[in-house]
Amino acid sequence: MKTLIISILILLPSLGYAEWKNWHPVNETLFKSFVLLNVVDTMQTFDLIDCQKKLGKECPFHESNLLIGPRPSKGEVILIKSLLVGGAYYLLDKSYPAPLWKNSNKPKFVALVIMNMMYIDTVSKNKSIGLRLSYKF
């Protein structure tokens, strides 16, 4: 199951016929970092779900993402994360109207930095409350 999730999240842009030719290499790397952070967050959420199944209301963890809800299923998490990553790629890959952003990668770069910062914060907060940060595949 874990391998399937990772494959889906990492390959999602490729499955959507992603073309990196219009992306600056730094932006491409930032997007791949965003995907990786989403995979780690997904795995942490799976730990939370397993805890909730095992301990019920005694589990000290709860999901704070409003899109997923406090007691999500793994399927819901996969669906939301897939839509998030796919939607982010789609929106970032869209061309900005000329001449305002013509030949500029700056808006994409700024958005990707903000997105990565948000997920670094999420993953580190998850780690600080006791959810794992390292996984073996």
Side-chain angles (χ1 to χ4, degrees):
M1 181 68 151
K2 291 179 181 181
T3 305
L4 174 65
I5 294 164
I6 292 168
S7 300
I8 289 171
L9 291 175
I10 290 175
L11 298 175
L12 190 61
S14 299
L15 296 173
Y17 304 102
E19 293 187 20
W20 299 108
K21 68 180 180 180
N22 296 328
W23 288 57
H24 189 278
V26 171
N27 291 342
E28 181 180 344
T29 300
L30 283 170
F31 187 80
K32 289 176 181 177
S33 297
F34 171 72
V35 172
L36 179 62
L37 287 165
N38 268 278
V39 169
V40 172
D41 183 46
T42 299
M43 302 309 289
Q44 289 175 325
T45 304
F46 281 10
D47 284 349
L48 172 145
I49 291 168
D50 292 341
C51 176
Q52 289 178 340
K53 283 183 180 178
K54 184 178 179 182
L55 301 177
K57 295 189 185 259
E58 299 297 318
C59 178
F61 308 124
H62 69 280
E63 180 59 53
S64 58
N65 183 333
L66 298 176
L67 291 174
I68 297 175
R71 299 185 66 82
S73 70
K74 290 182 179 181
E76 291 169 335
V77 173
I78 293 171
L79 176 64
I80 299 277
K81 290 293 186 176
S82 298
L83 291 172
L84 173 74
V85 171
Y89 177 83
Y90 175 78
L91 291 173
L92 289 167
D93 194 51
K94 289 302 250 179
S95 299
Y96 292 93
L100 183 61
W101 301 112
K102 190 172 183 178
N103 299 323
S104 175
N105 281 296
K106 188 173 182 178
K108 193 179 295 186
F109 174 78
V110 171
L112 285 163
V113 167
I114 292 169
M115 290 163 52
N116 275 282
M117 287 172 47
M118 289 171 47
Y119 268 91
I120 288 169
D121 181 59
T122 299
V123 166
S124 62
K125 281 182 182 174
N126 288 346
K127 169 73 170 128
S128 72
I129 64 168
L131 293 171
R132 291 187 296 159
L133 186 57
S134 61
Y135 296 91
K136 295 179 184 177
F137 299 102

